[in-house]
Amino acid sequence: MDAARTVDAVWKFESAKIIAGLTRLVHDVGLAEELAQDALVAALEQWPESGVPGNPGAWLMTIAKRRAIDHLRRTRRLQPLEEERRESRDPDADPDDVLRLMFLSCHPVLPTTHRVALTLRLLGGLTAGEIARAFLVTEQTVTQRIADAKRLLAAEQVAFDLPAGPELADRLSSVLGVVYLIFNEGYSATSGDDLMRPGLVHEALRLGRLLAELAPSEAEVHGLVALMEIQASRSAARTGPSGEPVQLHEQNRGRWDQLLIRRGFQAMLRARATGGTPGPYMLQAAIAVTHAQARGAAETDWARIAALYDLLVRLLPTPVVHLNRAVAVGMAHGPAAGLDLVEPLLSDPALRDYHLLPSVRGDLLERLGRHAEARVEFTRAAALTRNAAERDFLLRRADATGSGQAAGHLRPEPGTLGQAAQRFLASQDLTPATVRSYTQTLTRLRRSLGDRLPLTGLTPAHVSRVFTTTWQEAAPSTWNRHRATVRSFSAWLGGEDLAALLPRRREEPRAHTPVDNTILDELHDLPLRERTLWHLLRESGAPVTTVLALNVEDLDLDDRTASNGVSWRKHTARLLPALIAGRPSGPLFLTDRRAGPGATDVCPHTGRRRLSYERAEYLFKQASGGLTLSRLRRRAGQNSRIVINVGR
Amino acid sequence: MRYLMMSKGSDTPPDEKLFTEMAAFIEEMSAAGILLATGGLDPVGIRVASKGDEITITDGPFTEAKEAVAGFALVEVRSREELLELSRRFRRIVGDGESFIHQVF
């Protein structure tokens, strides 16, 4: 047997315990992992000859601990007292260390992707290559994330301890979130060829089961485990022979894994036994349990599931939970009740391109006998999904609905929105710019409403819904441009005005509203660069590009003018010296970081690049709640106040 | 991947030490999410055989105690190496004897 692979197997069993024990000893998870890796290298050297020791975990721990103590002795000269205290504690004494390690690797200071990578690395013992393959990213990316994560934890001086009191709930929810994310990435792969990646499902289950042993008094931990066990029990049943998804109510329940279901039930009982108000994971688990308890789809207790969703939607009011609740209500209290809950979701921008919304709506419409509308929804859902197996499935449903017309392709047909839009764009004497602009509007309409929507069914209400989910926050000019397209399109169709429900929006002049100086003065919390730029724009009235193009050597501070004619007044004058900070030349406004090699327009003194228009615009939009920089420019006779959002 | 491990009985009766070590091992493996199910088997057993339309039921025992399967464990591991490492630890606790392992599909 291959010794290296044996060492790897032992490592995966033991690494979490070893790294956790060492982290408590050396107070640095990066160093702890290095020391543990040293022990692993020693094992790789010695075990092929000496054989695997009787207790390989203890062997690895002994070696790693020895290295740690060597390390502490070396640094002791610098900090004798503190190291003495640390060393007095035995690294393999505390079973809570692994739990501490879990809290550490899921710490909120880390970006989510980094939490996931670090958790799989430290708790699962996976290599960067294994993590990279599971998440379809490069090994280099994973290595970088793990290194960044360790650096961040050290920089933020995150303590290796168990959170208590009010902090516990937050930190625990972060840990649960990471585990469930790993599970979901495996269970419903969002990308790649397979619908599932079983390796990740297994890792998440192991992490969850481990967590349940380490934190047995937390109901949500058992809730998450129950949820994952029961979801995983359906793995074999949720894809058909050619890889297509099989919906829950059509799954062969004989293929559900009864062992995992039973484990899920047991976890649920433990969750209930710990008491308290059920949290989001427990409620989702309770829903999964209710499905699992039904011997057949027809026996599902939908009333109970709908009631559970009523509770869940209060704790987790996400659009997807709302949609699932509509499905449950549709099953429990009839399709009309479900449809009532779906309708408000149509104007939710977050679900604009979510294929399950039209898919669910199509299903409800079909059950109500509104076949033509159902067909449109299924076809629209098919156009939105990115999974080929799912698209075929939705097109088959569209085919099977009502009229029996073939819908096996997505080509627009006569009398439909898609076909009319294509003819409209082709038939007129339009300039290329107009065609581009019209195409933007019509593409969005076709995407949101479906190419197959019959023109007879196209109403101002439909169009209004698309506008509110897409361009509600857009600038008035953008809104009006799309509105104009709809008006031309309606006129060409010769029917009613499809823009009837779309009010024309008042367009403000491009550059106008000066910001009250006293308000800009109050922005002490914002960086000096931003405050200077905004005052300069405000006082000079010069175009943004001109101001950003200024160089230090162009400025005459005494005269309050620049060589290109830009001039300013007292507020800018007060800030400029600090911003220039003694630089004799180079761009006046600089980026925050040093530019990479080969960058142009770089300050010779700081190595930073000139601040770009895009970045400057973004910073002001963030601070002002969406205003553009050009609105800072002074124009005679206007004096409205703009409130700047200092909190950002 | 899942494996079913079946272990035969042993000549030497289990002592206190074996019980303690085995309990700790089972606890550790369950906590790690590896051991899914385990149990002991009654050596007596029932045999059900079918031939044509005929079903024959016979009560055991059929073999000597040390030849019969005495216990099973269903484990979920990442690899064959993990499985073998696991079985090594198990055999070290139970002493002389044999186990048979099959992958569960």
Side-chain angles (χ1 to χ4, degrees), chain A residues 254-272:
Chain A
R255 299 186 69 200
W256 287 1
D257 186 331
Q258 292 302 321
L259 176 71
L260 290 186
I261 290 179
R262 215 186 64 216
R263 291 181 65 98
F265 286 177
Q266 282 163 355
M268 198 60 196
L269 290 176
R270 281 195 291 274
R272 291 217 182 96

Side-chain angles (χ1 to χ4, degrees), chain A residues 208-271:
Chain A
R209 291 166 187 165
L210 177 64
L211 190 59
E213 292 291 327
L214 295 173
S217 57
E218 296 297 330
E220 279 291 88
V221 172
H222 298 298
L224 172 63
V225 172
L227 176 62
M228 294 194 299
E229 301 269 16
I230 293 176
Q231 278 188 293
S233 79
R234 302 179 199 138
S235 297
R238 62 195 282 272
T239 45
S242 48
E244 75 279 13
V246 181
Q247 293 188 324
L248 186 61
H249 67 270
E250 287 173 346
Q251 287 175 9
N252 175 357
R253 287 169 194 238
R255 299 186 69 200
W256 287 1
D257 186 331
Q258 292 302 321
L259 176 71
L260 290 186
I261 290 179
R262 215 186 64 216
R263 291 181 65 98
F265 286 177
Q266 282 163 355
M268 198 60 196
L269 290 176
R270 281 195 291 274

